[in-house]
Amino acid sequence: MPFTALHADYGRLDATLSDLGHQLDWAHVHKARPRPPLVCPQCEWGLHAKVSRYGVRFFCHDPGRPPSCELSNESWEHHMLKLELAGAIREAGWFAELEVAAADGSWRADVMATSVDGTQRMAWEAQLSPITNDDIEYRTERYRAEDIRVCWVSPHKKPPQWISAVPAVRVRAPEGRGGGWMVDDGLAGFNYAAGGWGFREEQLQKFVRWALHGQVVSVESYPRYRRVPRVVDGKQLRFRRGRWWTSLQSAEAQTRHESMRRRQEAAKEEREALQRQQKEEAERKRKELEEKERIRRAEEAERRHQKAAEEARVHMEAWERRWAEEKAQREREKAEKAQRLAQEQAEREERERQAVKAATVWWGRLSAQQKKELLAAVTERAWREEKLWVTIPDNPLMDPAYAYGVPLYTRGKRRRSLYGIVRPCPSLIAASPRAREEHALVRSAQEAKELQEAGHEGRITHFDLPEHEQLSMY
């Protein structure tokens, strides 16, 4: 969305100027027939004039434009900031040209300000995309090589890292109707009494005028003054700034304060040198006294050494006794722990033995024929009432996890799922939480009653099978 276009007859047209820079009416290019020959200054693709819904005039690329064209890839915020800068430059009495490129293509300024007499130029760059300090310093040096001043402008809320590397400011867009763009970072004044810089906010239009007329200049902050306090959202913060736009008076005040500080440091160093000399003299006298007492101190040190050796011996004997006692205590605790673990293991094995015994008695109440009959009744009911195919294993096994009942599973296309538990042992229900909640399948109402009385909480299905001869499992 460029603001400039190249006309085959008139040359460069500027949509931000009322006469397009050539005493032409907007109607000469906007919806004119035949269509005027307009191309992009950068990619030379065809352009046509347009007006946004906010009344902003600009040029738009025809379909099929090259994706690498920087002018067409700039955001709306970028364009509005360039428009604001151009307006401020013209308000200050200078000429403003948008999207001006060097003859050799080494640089392209978003807005180029030129004094009335043509002797001064200053580039204004709206920088929204990320850029490294090295790249922005290199681009700044290209301007300086052609005697062009430059100011980089960022509209982002967070200050960019390069704001201290090159002449730059951060601006804030209008917060409501009637408001104006404000410079809220990069502009400062030096407080000589406080000995430091202070942030200063100012209207962008006024700042542009000051910068063009040399009322503010970009100066480097001396290392001592680079940490600057500022209140942000009610919090006292400190920012590091190595460069400011400021008045000549503030620049001079920083220099004078630095000179004063250096004089104070020089005086301080002189005082400290005198103090060191006095301390050295006192040290010499102190050493003379130390030499006289050296023998006495040596004898006293020997006595202290002997006393310390005796105390160390006593301490070592006490430590060895404590270590022996602690070792014996650890051995006792280790033995007690081993005994406790063995007892717990025996208790677990006893519980398992009792569980197996109870399950054996429970299943011993059925003959092999009764077991087959019950399993067949389960599969028949699952298919008849629920259309589920229940798999009966070749060798049904009691599962301790389900109170030594036999788990049966349905067979699906992808995976199997638990259908129910056949005859979980009532006396083991309390110790089997999983069996207590699963679907239980038993032969008779009597077995169902036993499970309920044992605390089974899930569904119980009995098949009311006839009582046949009970065979022992032994």
Side-chain angles (χ1 to χ4, degrees):
M1 188 182 111
F3 285 112
T4 59
L6 295 179
H7 192 282
D9 298 326
Y10 298 103
R12 184 184 183 88
L13 302 183
D14 190 335
T16 64
L17 296 174
S18 59
D19 63 352
L20 303 180
H22 291 276
Q23 297 182 352
L24 294 177
D25 188 74
W26 180 246
H28 280 81
V29 294
H30 183 242
K31 296 182 179 180
R33 294 292 182 271
R35 178 175 166 176
L38 302 175
V39 295
C40 176
Q42 182 177 6
C43 67
E44 297 184 355
W45 196 259
L47 298 177
H48 56 278
K50 291 188 70 174
V51 179
S52 75
R53 59 178 177 175
Y54 302 106
V56 178
R57 305 190 311 185
F58 63 96
F59 297 103
C60 184
H61 282 78
D62 294 337
R65 65 168 177 82
S68 60
C69 181
E70 295 181 4
L71 292 178
S72 63
N73 293 329
E74 291 178 347
S75 64
W76 177 260
E77 185 180 18
H78 194 156
H79 288 298
M80 291 302 97
L81 181 53
K82 290 198 299 186
L83 199 60
E84 185 68 23
L85 290 171
I89 293 168
R90 290 164 184 160
E91 185 68 23
W94 283 41
F95 297 112
E97 293 181 89
L98 281 82
E99 300 151 5
V100 177
D104 59 359
S106 60
W107 51 261
R108 181 180 64 82
D110 285 334
V111 185
M112 179 63 74
T114 307
S115 61
V116 176
D117 59 7
T119 59
Q120 300 181 61
R121 288 191 298 172
M122 183 172 183
W124 294 82
E125 291 281 6
Q127 188 64 35
L128 281 75
S129 60
I131 187 172
T132 65
N133 284 6
D134 290 341
D135 287 344
I136 201 169
E137 288 175 355
Y138 174 71
R139 292 173 62 181
T140 301
E141 285 301 321
R142 287 192 300 185
Y143 284 118
R144 289 176 180 166
E146 297 191 29
D147 198 24
I148 300 173
R149 290 184 293 155
V150 62
C151 180
W152 298 85
V153 183
S154 168
H156 295 313
K157 184 176 181 180
K158 182 180 179 180
Q161 61 177 359
W162 42 261
I163 195 168
S164 293
V166 293
V169 292
R170 181 167 60 94
V171 296
R172 185 176 65 244
E175 298 178 353
R177 287 191 172 184
W181 286 75
M182 297 293 294
V183 174
D184 69 353
D185 198 343
L187 178 66
F190 190 85
N191 187 330
Y192 185 89
W197 291 99
F199 284 89
R200 178 174 177 180
E201 294 190 7
E202 192 53 78
Q203 295 178 357
L204 176 59
Q205 189 178 70
K206 186 179 292 186
F207 167 75
V208 170
R209 184 176 72 247
W210 289 349
L212 293 175
H213 293 289
Q215 293 174 280
V216 292
V217 293
S218 178
V219 300
E220 181 181 357
S221 175
Y222 296 146
R224 182 182 178 86
Y225 311 110
R226 289 180 179 176
R227 293 181 62 83
V228 185
R230 190 178 196 183
V231 177
V232 178
D233 296 331
K235 297 180 179 180
Q236 182 74 20
L237 305 177
R238 281 189 173 272
F239 296 87
R240 188 175 183 83
R241 293 291 181 268
R243 179 170 292 277
W244 295 103
W245 282 95
T246 189
S247 65
L248 296 174
Q249 293 86 347
S250 286
E252 181 186 359
Q254 178 188 221
T255 302
R256 287 191 293 107
H257 192 277
E258 178 68 7
S259 299
M260 179 269 292
R261 186 186 63 81
R262 291 181 179 179
R263 290 194 301 271
Q264 291 178 342
E265 288 184 352
K268 179 181 178 182
E269 291 176 358
E270 185 178 348
R271 291 194 302 271
E272 290 175 350
L274 179 60
Q275 291 174 356
R276 285 195 300 272
Q277 183 179 357
Q278 293 172 348
K279 288 181 179 179
E280 290 172 358
E281 179 64 20
E283 180 70 10
R284 184 185 63 79
K285 293 180 179 180
R286 184 185 65 80
K287 287 182 177 180
E288 291 178 356
L289 295 175
E290 285 182 351
E291 182 63 21
K292 294 179 180 179
E293 297 185 358
R294 183 178 62 81
I295 297 176
R296 184 186 62 81
R297 289 199 304 269
E299 293 174 350
E300 184 178 351
E302 179 63 22
R303 289 193 298 271
R304 287 198 301 268
H305 174 73
Q306 294 176 357
K307 180 180 179 182
E310 178 64 19
E311 291 176 350
R313 184 187 64 78
V314 173
H315 177 76
M316 178 59 69
E317 291 177 353
W319 179 85
E320 290 175 348
R321 286 194 301 271
R322 287 196 303 271
W323 184 86
E325 293 172 357
E326 291 174 357
K327 180 180 179 182
Q329 178 65 22
R330 287 194 298 271
E331 293 295 335
R332 288 194 299 271
E333 292 175 353
K334 182 178 179 180
E336 291 173 357
K337 182 179 179 180
Q339 183 180 1
R340 184 173 67 256
L341 292 176
Q343 182 178 354
E344 292 175 354
Q345 178 65 20
E347 292 175 354
R348 282 196 299 272
E349 292 175 353
E350 177 62 20
R351 286 196 298 271
E352 292 175 0
R353 189 184 66 79
Q354 293 296 334
V356 171
K357 181 179 179 182
T360 303
V361 173
W362 168 250
W363 280 97
R365 290 164 55 177
L366 300 183
S367 65
Q369 180 63 31
Q370 287 176 312
K371 297 175 185 176
K372 293 180 180 179
E373 182 182 31
L374 175 57
L375 294 174
V378 171
T379 59
E380 189 275 333
R381 176 189 179 279
W383 178 255
R384 173 171 46 82
E385 297 187 7
E386 303 177 56
K387 300 302 180 186
L388 296 174
W389 184 264
V390 176
T391 304
I392 302 298
D394 295 336
N395 184 23
L397 297 176
M398 299 179 292
D399 193 334
Y402 296 106
Y404 283 85
V406 178
L408 295 182
Y409 296 87
T410 60
R411 185 171 62 188
K413 293 182 178 180
R414 296 185 177 179
R415 64 184 181 88
R416 66 175 191 168
S417 60
L418 182 65
Y419 176 71
I421 312 301
V422 178
R423 295 192 81 241
C425 183
S427 62
L428 302 178
I429 282 291
S432 302
R434 295 175 63 184
R436 191 163 57 242
E437 299 176 354
E438 296 293 345
H439 181 197
L441 306 157
V442 296
R443 284 184 57 84
S444 62
Q446 176 60 32
E447 291 184 350
K449 180 179 178 182
E450 291 181 38
L451 282 177
Q452 289 177 338
E453 290 176 350
H456 189 277
E457 300 174 356
R459 183 160 61 103
I460 302 175
T461 300
H462 72 82
F463 294 88
D464 199 19
L465 296 176
E467 296 292 337
H468 296 301
E469 180 183 359
Q470 299 293 320
L471 298 178
S472 175
M473 292 182 65
Y474 293 95

